[in-house]
Amino acid sequence: MKLLVKKLLVANWKMQLSHDQACSWIETELPSVQEVCATTPHELVICPSFTTLSYGTTLFPDSSWGAQTVGFEKQGAYTGDVSVLSLKELGVQYCLVGHSEQRRYRGVTDEQVAQKVALLRKQGIQPIVCIGETVAQKHETKKILQTQLEQIIGNESLIIAYEPVWSIGTGDVPSPEQLAQSVAIIKNLCGSQTRILYGGSVTDTKVALFGSYVEGFLIGSASLDADRLKKIILSC
Ligand code: PGA
């Protein structure tokens, strides 16, 4: 029998579902997905849009919930941002920080990532810091990861999601050797107790292939399909 080690599985729903669609997924699909998860040692975190978070945390307070981002200041005149205090009040336990889409489309910087990490930790919310090289940076992965991590090194109990940008939504994934190299770079910089998730075109076959290198997965499009998500949970 396979010895199962607890994995953290984070479903990043991005902006794929409307509020009504997300509520309906949570109501109709989440119970059976959680039932499957309960047969394993794994933890599943759902990260819907801000608008749906309170619906989720209210209906299923015992499930784990995550936000997709957070404001870089605690409060103030930051139109459009959502504060760490709001996340805390909603009962959110996790928050993605510095996802490549936030870096690319919202100009989130490494400095802001560090600010967000500090704010979240102060409120007892676990940050999941996303890092990864673009296709043009493939030859300098080590340097890129180093730069993205520099300002958060020294934080205890970090969770880092290694997501090669070229792998997000493309179906391309690193080889197990490439993944092992990146994991070693991150653990060298942040400490061996750092938990590392892999993200980018995650499927059930990929989690079986990568499972021994990482402590969990950040799952985008496959997490929107309850059957695919169950398969992923069972393949970890
Ligand atoms: P993907 O997205 O699984 O659809 O590639 C991953 C992510 O961006 O977190």
Side-chain angles (χ1 to χ4, degrees):
M1 219 174 99
K2 189 167 127 188
L3 179 67
L4 290 180
V5 180
K6 178 177 174 173
K7 295 272 195 268
L8 185 64
L9 304 172
V10 183
N12 176 12
W13 284 359
K14 309 193 179 188
M15 200 180 70
Q16 303 285 13
L17 303 177
S18 72
H19 175 64
D20 283 353
Q21 288 170 329
C23 290
S24 144
W25 199 107
I26 288 165
E27 230 173 89
T28 59
E29 309 283 9
L30 188 57
S32 71
V33 173
Q34 287 292 20
E35 222 168 85
V36 167
C37 200
T39 67
T40 74
H42 312 317
E43 177 180 355
L44 175 69
V45 182
I46 305 283
C47 303
S49 295
F50 284 131
T51 41
T52 307
L53 268 174
S54 103
Y55 180 83
T57 57
T58 306
L59 197 63
F60 293 109
D62 296 333
S63 291
S64 298
W65 297 94
Q68 296 175 13
T69 182
V70 66
F72 62 91
E73 291 290 353
K74 193 169 170 190
Q75 64 188 129
Y78 297 97
T79 303
D81 275 0
V82 170
S83 79
V84 69
L85 298 173
S86 298
L87 300 185
K88 175 82 179 164
E89 286 168 6
L90 292 181
V92 165
Q93 300 99 321
Y94 294 89
C95 183
L96 302 181
V97 180
H99 187 281
S100 66
E101 286 148 17
Q102 281 283 315
R103 293 176 189 266
R104 181 171 175 197
Y105 303 120
R106 296 279 164 269
V108 168
T109 62
D110 293 326
E111 191 186 351
Q112 290 172 350
V113 167
Q115 281 179 274
K116 292 176 187 207
V117 167
L119 282 174
L120 288 162
R121 285 169 59 90
K122 244 194 199 149
Q123 297 302 324
I125 298 172
Q126 173 71 56
I128 299 173
V129 179
C130 305
I131 60 170
E133 76 285 2
T134 63
V135 70
Q137 296 164 336
K138 249 179 162 176
H139 61 287
E140 50 176 0
T141 301
K142 186 172 179 184
K143 192 179 127 208
I144 297 298
L145 300 186
Q146 221 158 356
T147 307
Q148 291 177 339
L149 288 171
E150 223 154 49
Q151 300 189 47
I152 55 165
I153 289 172
N155 279 288
E156 277 165 38
S157 352
L158 276 176
I159 299 183
I160 305 292
Y162 171 60
E163 297 201 298
V165 179
W166 50 270
S167 178
I168 296 175
T170 59
D172 288 343
V173 295
S175 67
E177 294 72 29
Q178 283 173 319
L179 176 59
Q181 270 176 16
S182 296
V183 166
I185 293 169
I186 298 165
K187 294 226 175 193
N188 261 334
L189 289 166
C190 299
S192 57
Q193 72 302 332
T194 304
R195 280 188 284 168
I196 301 179
L197 316 182
Y198 170 78
S201 299
V202 169
T203 61
D204 56 323
T205 50
K206 299 299 174 332
V207 300
L209 190 65
F210 293 162
S212 57
Y213 300 97
V214 289
E215 282 77 28
F217 294 93
L218 181 50
I219 312 154
S221 58
S223 71
L224 294 163
D225 178 326
D227 289 331
R228 289 183 76 193
L229 187 54
K230 286 177 197 169
K231 269 196 186 161
I232 287 173
I233 295 168
L234 291 172
S235 305
C236 279

